[in-house]
Amino acid sequence: MTIKIKVYSDYVCPFCFLAEKPLKEAIKGKDVEVEWMPFELRPYPNETLKPEGDYLQSTWKQSVYPLAERMGIAIVLPSISPQPYTHLAFEGYQYAKEKGKGNEYNDRMLRAFFQEEQDIGDIDVLTKVAGEIGLNESEYRTALERRTYKEAHQKALTHAYEEVNITAVPTFVIGNTTIGGIRSKETLEQVINEEIQKKKAAISIEGMSCHMDGC
């Protein structure tokens, strides 16, 4: 009775990074399957944001830093200017997912950017970080240089933009319930438990019928 959870996120979204902790706490001991889904907030050729700009400075001061402090999570506004595009990192994610390391890769990329200020738009950096979670660096680099997973990534983006109509991240799709924005452990647990009950109810009526001699 596995509940599937899809988390739509971008590697340059600080709230996506902060959303990991309550999610991990909420799913502990539960029969769930989590899959992180690509979403580009500012795909090329749109301009990406600059950390020295008023928007990021005020957003981090007013929202990100206070929330991270309350949650006990170390985070920093990366000094990379302008912020990197994330399509190459996401193409690498498709490779990692194929190798059974998708969620581990996702976590490592978020930490590389928001805790170590690494430029996750640079192939050298991406290759090094991928190697740190046990991926074959030579294969990984070749896949990015040849854009092997470009089509797979674009298909994932089309799914997010057009099929699921995601407009902001993080967005959680828990079973048949969609909730947007970072959520507490308690809220996530409640939705997960509700979806489990719905699934149990659906299973309990599966196959019921009446025959000529009774029900």
Side-chain angles (χ1 to χ4, degrees), residues 51-106:
E52 66 272 19
D54 291 339
Y55 174 74
L56 284 182
Q57 287 291 322
S58 62
T59 298
W60 277 71
K61 183 178 180 180
Q62 295 172 14
S63 302
V64 180
Y65 281 129
L67 178 58
E69 186 175 356
R70 289 199 302 272
M71 297 177 73
I73 300 174
I75 191 172
V76 64
L77 172 58
S79 58
I80 301 155
S81 184
Q83 290 191 332
Y85 291 105
T86 52
H87 58 276
L88 284 180
F90 276 129
E91 288 177 28
Y93 168 73
Q94 296 297 330
Y95 169 83
K97 188 165 66 169
E98 196 174 87
K99 301 299 180 181
K101 288 181 174 286
N103 287 354
E104 188 178 353
Y105 176 95
N106 187 85

Side-chain angles (χ1 to χ4, degrees), residues 74 105 108 131 193 210:
Y105 176 95
R108 186 67 191 94
N193 290 333
C210 285

Side-chain angles (χ1 to χ4, degrees), residues 78-146:
S79 58
I80 301 155
S81 184
Q83 290 191 332
Y85 291 105
T86 52
H87 58 276
L88 284 180
F90 276 129
E91 288 177 28
Y93 168 73
Q94 296 297 330
Y95 169 83
K97 188 165 66 169
E98 196 174 87
K99 301 299 180 181
K101 288 181 174 286
N103 287 354
E104 188 178 353
Y105 176 95
N106 187 85
D107 174 76
R108 186 67 191 94
M109 284 299 155
L110 286 167
R111 292 183 183 281
F113 189 59
F114 287 116
Q115 291 185 331
E116 302 161 10
E117 300 187 72
Q118 297 198 58
D119 184 356
I120 57 171
D122 182 89
I123 287 184
D124 290 336
V125 172
L126 290 172
T127 301
K128 177 181 69 68
V129 173
E132 291 171 0
I133 62 167
L135 292 173
N136 184 298
E137 292 190 23
S138 178
E139 282 186 5
Y140 178 90
R141 175 184 283 276
T142 298
L144 294 194
E145 290 176 342
R146 294 179 179 176

Side-chain angles (χ1 to χ4, degrees), residues 10-207:
D10 194 359
Y11 295 136
V12 292
C13 165
F15 298 111
C16 295
F17 175 51
L18 296 178
E20 275 194 306
K21 183 178 180 181
L23 177 62
K24 288 179 179 178
E25 292 173 347
I27 66 174
K28 195 172 296 181
K30 295 181 177 63
D31 185 9
V32 300
E33 179 184 304
V34 177
E35 181 179 9
W36 290 78
M37 305 294 291
F39 183 93
E40 289 185 47
L41 287 164
R42 285 164 286 277
Y44 182 85
N46 296 289
E47 288 187 3
T48 60
L49 301 177
K50 295 182 178 181
E52 66 272 19
D54 291 339
Y55 174 74
L56 284 182
Q57 287 291 322
S58 62
T59 298
W60 277 71
K61 183 178 180 180
Q62 295 172 14
S63 302
V64 180
Y65 281 129
L67 178 58
E69 186 175 356
R70 289 199 302 272
M71 297 177 73
I73 300 174
I75 191 172
V76 64
L77 172 58
S79 58
I80 301 155
S81 184
Q83 290 191 332
Y85 291 105
T86 52
H87 58 276
L88 284 180
F90 276 129
E91 288 177 28
Y93 168 73
Q94 296 297 330
Y95 169 83
K97 188 165 66 169
E98 196 174 87
K99 301 299 180 181
K101 288 181 174 286
N103 287 354
E104 188 178 353
Y105 176 95
N106 187 85
D107 174 76
R108 186 67 191 94
M109 284 299 155
L110 286 167
R111 292 183 183 281
F113 189 59
F114 287 116
Q115 291 185 331
E116 302 161 10
E117 300 187 72
Q118 297 198 58
D119 184 356
I120 57 171
D122 182 89
I123 287 184
D124 290 336
V125 172
L126 290 172
T127 301
K128 177 181 69 68
V129 173
E132 291 171 0
I133 62 167
L135 292 173
N136 184 298
E137 292 190 23
S138 178
E139 282 186 5
Y140 178 90
R141 175 184 283 276
T142 298
L144 294 194
E145 290 176 342
R146 294 179 179 176
R147 307 296 302 277
T148 306
Y149 293 88
K150 179 180 179 180
E151 185 177 345
H153 173 52
Q154 289 302 317
K155 186 177 180 180
L157 288 184
T158 299
H159 162 77
Y161 296 152
E162 300 177 11
E163 296 175 20
V164 194
N165 297 317
I166 303 298
T167 58
V169 288
T171 292
F172 301 85
V173 178
I174 303 173
N176 294 315
T177 300
T178 300
I179 52 176
I182 186 170
R183 298 291 174 144
S184 67
K185 169 195 170 185
E186 291 74 21
T187 297
L188 294 170
E189 279 183 327
Q190 180 181 343
V191 177
I192 292 169
N193 290 333
E194 287 173 354
E195 287 298 313
I196 289 173
Q197 292 305 314
K198 289 178 188 176
K199 202 161 189 178
K200 284 181 178 178
I203 291 173
S204 68
I205 65 171
E206 195 72 28

